[in-house]
Amino acid sequence: MLGGLSNTTGVKAPKLRSRPKGEYAVRCDGTDDYVEISDFVYATTGDFTISFWIKKASSWDEATSSVFGHTQNKSNSIYIGTKHTGTGRIFLNAAVSASTIIMIETNDHGMEEDKWYHLAFVVDRSSASDSKIYIDGEESLLVTQTISNTTTSVDINGNMRIAANIAGGVFDADYKDFMIHSAALSQKHIKKIYQHKGKKRLLSISRLKDNLELYLPLGDGTEAGSGTTVYDMSGNGRNGTLNNGATYISIDKGELK
């Protein structure tokens, strides 16, 4: 079985990607590198989706490491991280005044080192059961799905950092195609992002374009693998900045399945 279709005569299984589209990505070495994006509102009391490609050279099974976070105090944060509790887990947490408003967390994610994965964190503020984490377009088994409050705004009012957290922690990984949507995307649309053949075809899908708040290709926008500005292709002008040695790398086309 591949992609839900039997690999039998006359039936062609859909081609799945094992790396992001493009020639470049951004590498953060886990020492002090990060990508910073100025604050903008995308969540408040509404739904949202954060998705990106990521590859980690070392083990994923780290204790509460930061993949993405807002630069605010610990009492107010939206934060994506990893933890090791006998198995490797990834999670998204949103807290206001030190009270957890949103928490979605996988069971053992099964991700390996030195391999690209597409991650998508879908938050439906009205339904914990409809809040999901997808790995390579497939729904991951969750051990926690909590939406404890549907009316409190989770607008953090702080800049965002890829590969760093609010307490100064950093994460060693390669990143590509970082996107934020102000909608709870369906699995169908998550798979469209995962399988896309380039940004022009991706942005031709109305559901993805109309709710797109941020789209940083991270190396294949107008920066073409150089400079310290990463350009936002959403049309909203929310460019990011490479900090402390975060750098562009070439993507190895040999990583394709």
Side-chain angles (χ1 to χ4, degrees):
M1 291 282 284
L2 177 62
L5 294 178
S6 300
N7 191 15
T8 57
T9 303
V11 179
K12 185 177 180 181
K15 182 179 179 181
L16 301 183
R17 306 193 66 81
S18 63
R19 71 168 182 90
K21 179 74 174 178
E23 297 182 6
Y24 299 98
V26 164
R27 172 163 293 170
C28 297
D29 66 7
T31 301
D32 57 2
D33 300 356
Y34 59 89
V35 181
E36 185 155 281
I37 307 109
S38 295
D39 175 54
F40 64 90
V41 175
Y42 65 89
T44 62
T45 60
D47 304 338
F48 62 93
T49 301
I50 300 174
S51 63
F52 48 89
W53 283 90
I54 187 168
K55 184 176 78 168
K56 197 173 189 308
S58 56
S59 173
W60 281 89
D61 296 339
E62 297 183 11
T64 316
S65 295
S66 178
V67 176
F68 167 78
H70 285 247
T71 56
Q72 183 55 278
N73 60 60
K74 293 182 180 180
S75 295
N76 299 277
S77 64
I78 293 178
Y79 174 64
I80 293 173
T82 68
K83 65 169 70 171
H84 181 68
T85 58
T87 61
R89 296 181 179 182
I90 53 174
F91 65 89
L92 179 145
N93 175 275
V96 177
S97 299
S99 177
T100 295
I101 303 296
I102 302 164
M103 181 66 171
I104 51 176
E105 178 184 349
T106 69
N107 198 347
D108 183 10
H109 52 62
M111 293 190 293
E112 303 171 7
E113 60 190 58
D114 248 353
K115 183 177 179 180
W116 281 105
Y117 293 95
H118 185 262
L119 304 183
F121 300 79
V122 178
V123 174
D124 184 326
R125 285 298 298 273
S126 66
S127 174
S129 62
D130 289 329
S131 298
K132 312 285 189 181
I133 297 176
Y134 296 94
I135 301 176
D136 287 351
E138 299 298 330
E139 184 178 341
S140 182
L141 179 64
L142 302 185
V143 294
T144 306
Q145 288 173 284
T146 300
I147 307 290
S148 64
N149 183 309
T150 61
T151 59
T152 297
S153 172
V154 293
D155 176 28
I156 303 304
N157 191 28
N159 290 354
M160 292 164 253
R161 289 182 178 179
I162 299 170
N165 67 21
I166 54 177
V170 289
F171 195 66
D172 60 318
D174 302 337
Y175 291 84
K176 184 72 178 162
D177 289 331
F178 189 91
M179 309 180 82
I180 296 178
H181 286 84
S182 55
L185 298 183
S186 68
Q187 184 175 21
K188 171 186 174 181
H189 289 104
I190 295 299
K191 285 188 173 183
K192 290 288 187 183
I193 297 173
Y194 170 56
Q195 297 172 345
H196 86 88
K197 304 295 191 295
K199 60 180 176 289
K200 287 185 178 179
R201 291 178 67 176
L202 181 68
L203 297 182
S204 68
I205 302 170
S206 59
R207 173 68 170 170
L208 298 182
K209 182 178 179 180
D210 293 347
N211 297 285
L212 185 59
E213 301 293 339
L214 179 73
Y215 177 20
L216 302 180
L218 295 173
D220 293 294
T222 59
E223 66 271 359
S226 63
T228 57
T229 300
V230 288
Y231 290 92
D232 175 21
M233 298 290 105
S234 72
N236 295 314
R238 294 164 175 157
N239 300 336
T241 305
L242 304 183
N243 286 269
N244 299 336
T247 188
Y248 299 104
I249 60 165
S250 296
I251 298 176
D252 181 5
K253 293 185 177 181
E255 295 176 47
L256 283 171
K257 290 182 179 176

